[in-house]
Amino acid sequence: MLINVKRHGEVSSSEITPQGLYLDRRRFLRLGAGGVLSAAALSGGLWKPAVAGVKLSHVAKGPYDTREELTPYESVTTYNNFYEFGTDKEDPSRLAGNLRPRPWKVVVDGEVAKPGTYDFDELIRPHALQERVYRLRCVEAWSMVIPWDGFPLADLLKRFEPTSRAKFVRFETLYDPHQFPGQRRSVLDWPYVEGLRMDEAIHPLTLLAVGLYGEVLPNQDGAPLRLVVPWKYGFKSIKSIVKISLVEKMPPNTWAKSAPNEYGFYANVNPRVDHPRWSQAKERRIGDFFKRDTLMFNGYAEEVAHLYAGMDLRAFF
Ligand SMILES: Nc1nc2c(c(=O)[nH]1)N[C@H]1C(S)=C(S)[C@@H](COP(=O)(O)O)O[C@H]1N2
Ligand SMILES: [Mo]
């Protein structure tokens, strides 16, 4: 059986994420019986409707977890940047109900031997889910520690057999002003586009997230499919992806297009390269009072510094 409907007290300890300790009654009641969805059910098309808050099970522990204290679920889901809903941090959670993350199509095209258009559930079916606790660091000098559920982007790209001309990966967010009221105003050049160099894209830290805190990804965090690149500023972690293209040339990304002197393509967290309007040397972990020093590559230097050996990171910011 793919969907195990258990009552609250029956959830086995292996299914209880740290958040399980305070998974509040209000959210449980809203979900009804507290259905537990297995990864197989999640990817097998049995997920109807895609309810944020439904628990994922059979999520293996991933490598690279930080041991830092987690940012509370409440903050991760109510303090967001998602300009498709509006520019205030509260807009995404307030308006998230407008987005329908099912049915959802994802196009994979460009320099691949096997391009195609996939239903989201079909796209992720072959992938085993892992939980990875990563920091997310925003350009505006705040950070969070989030347990993401997903799988390496590399695993997905491999399936489509990139050609030797594939040098970059370009991602695109859904464009639909009916679901995304923020797209009715031209604050950004819609749809939101992001990109990674191939070696960054296939680095094992780079994740495609379908959940967080062991639950289906809430709309405000980029349902149903969202990128997480933990050593880069948050804006690289593009939400609600509908298109993944393998391309030969560096794709122009939305923020770099909107303010080229403020945002670059690489966007590596770097305490020594300030944003023109503010310092990047310190950051505030959401929930903390005092600021802390920002770490090079957001603390992942050991894993990723070699990707940029010999590059001037002031020029390629
Ligand atoms: N499509 C889309 N993706 C996006 C954004 C956005 O406005 N639209 N904001 C980015 C920025 S600036 C940040 S800091 C992170 C925030 O992710 P979170 O709200 O889940 O913390 O999402 C990124 N991904
Ligand atoms: Mo950000």
Side-chain angles (χ1 to χ4, degrees), residues 73 102 129 256 270:
Y73 182 92
R102 284 299 186 290
L129 299 189
N270 189 340

Side-chain angles (χ1 to χ4, degrees), residues 75-76 79-86 92 136-140 142 144 146 148 172-174 180 188 190 192-194 212 220-222 226-227 233-240 255:
S75 307
V76 174
Y79 189 87
N80 297 99
N81 268 344
F82 199 166
Y83 277 25
E84 283 83 344
F85 287 118
L136 183 135
R137 166 62 159 80
C138 189
V139 160
E140 297 108 301
W142 50 267
M144 298 192 184
I146 303 170
W148 301 101
E172 204 176 288
T173 295
L174 174 72
F180 285 140
L188 286 175
W190 311 114
Y192 196 101
V193 168
E194 258 311 334
L212 55 79
Q220 59 269 38
D221 290 282
R226 176 251 168 91
L227 189 69
Y233 290 118
F235 71 84
K236 299 299 282 187
S237 293
I238 182 172
K239 298 176 168 183
S240 303
W255 281 103

Side-chain angles (χ1 to χ4, degrees), residues 180-226:
F180 285 140
Q183 289 178 335
R184 293 170 208 162
R185 295 187 299 139
S186 42
V187 283
L188 286 175
D189 184 12
W190 311 114
Y192 196 101
V193 168
E194 258 311 334
L196 293 173
R197 209 171 60 188
M198 198 51 153
D199 56 346
E200 301 175 322
I202 62 172
H203 190 284
L205 277 174
T206 303
L207 204 69
L208 278 174
V210 299
L212 55 79
Y213 264 111
E215 299 180 355
V216 170
L217 200 60
N219 290 354
Q220 59 269 38
D221 290 282
L225 186 66
R226 176 251 168 91

Side-chain angles (χ1 to χ4, degrees), residues 16 18-19 36 54 58 99 107-108 114 118-119 121 125 127 133 136 141 161 197 219 226 235 253 265-266 268 278 317:
I16 297 182
Q19 189 222 359
V36 174
V54 168
H58 307 298
L99 178 66
V107 175
V108 183
K114 298 177 170 170
Y118 294 81
D119 185 66
D121 298 287
R125 179 182 293 131
H127 299 283
V133 184
L136 183 135
E161 299 176 13
R197 209 171 60 188
N219 290 354
R226 176 251 168 91
F235 71 84
N253 53 315
F265 176 80
Y266 285 95
N268 291 316
W278 54 77
F317 61 98

